[in-house]
Structures are given as structure tokens and as C-alpha cells.
Amino acid sequence: LALVLQIQFQNITLPLIGTPNWFYMVLLSPYAGLYYWRSGDRVDDIKVRLLSSDDDTENEIIIEGNDEEIDRMWRALELNEKGMVKVEGIIAS
């Protein structure tokens, strides 16, 4: 960023500062990492609801949440979507 600003604004003069040296911004880069480390957390909430039929022959699980987390959970638990059947591919052994 400093190199781009140095090339773009070669003849700029700021009041009270004069000609800025954009490479001083490099000294702020550790603070950017600290900022993202502290506030870059992502909270993923998943709601799971289990429903069973009156005669207890069928169970239904309703899952609400982030698509990425749901896909990861399905792969980890080897679950299938309702009405879907997993078909092995030609290459899978």
C-alpha cells in the first residue's frame, strides 16, 4: 500500500506535515494483525430440532444454521438429506 501511495501521490504536500513518507505506515502493520486476531472471531450457531412420529417409527431432524457448517456436520456424521440416497461414483472404491 505504501508503494502505491508513494507512486500515486509523488508531489503532494499536506498542511503541517509537508511531504509524507508513506512507508511509515509499515510500522502500523502489527496492529492490523492484532486487530483481526482479537475481533476476527466468527460465531456459528446451529439449531437442531428432533421430531418423531406418533408411533415412534420415524424420526426427523431439522437443522438451521450456516450452510458451510451444516455441510461440514453432514460430512462428519455421514447424514443424507430427506428423500436423498447416496450413490457411489465410478471412481470411488
Side-chain angles (χ1 to χ4, degrees), residues 9 11 15 21-22 28-29 32 37 44 58 60 67 69 86 89:
F9 302 110
N11 298 326
N21 187 350
W22 300 107
L28 298 176
S29 61
W37 180 51
D44 294 325
E58 204 174 288
E60 184 175 349
D67 290 339
E69 292 300 318
K86 184 175 181 180

Side-chain angles (χ1 to χ4, degrees), residues 7-93:
I7 293 170
Q8 186 67 28
F9 302 110
Q10 291 178 3
N11 298 326
I12 191 169
T13 304
L14 299 175
L16 300 174
I17 297 175
T19 304
N21 187 350
W22 300 107
F23 292 100
Y24 286 135
M25 288 184 3
V26 174
L27 298 174
L28 298 176
S29 61
Y31 295 109
L34 185 65
Y35 170 77
Y36 284 111
W37 180 51
R38 287 192 176 171
S39 64
D41 294 338
R42 186 176 83 178
V43 177
D44 294 325
D45 292 332
I46 293 180
K47 295 180 183 178
V48 179
R49 189 168 53 176
L50 177 64
L51 302 173
S52 62
S53 62
D54 292 334
D55 56 354
D56 289 333
T57 57
E58 204 174 288
N59 292 328
E60 184 175 349
I61 300 173
I62 299 174
I63 303 171
E64 297 176 358
N66 186 6
D67 290 339
E68 294 175 4
E69 292 300 318
I70 291 174
D71 287 341
R72 191 167 58 120
M73 186 178 77
W74 281 17
R75 283 190 305 253
L77 297 176
E78 297 179 1
L79 297 175
N80 292 326
E81 195 172 343
K82 184 177 181 181
M84 301 296 244
V85 177
K86 184 175 181 180
V87 177
E88 293 293 332
I90 297 171
I91 301 175
S93 56

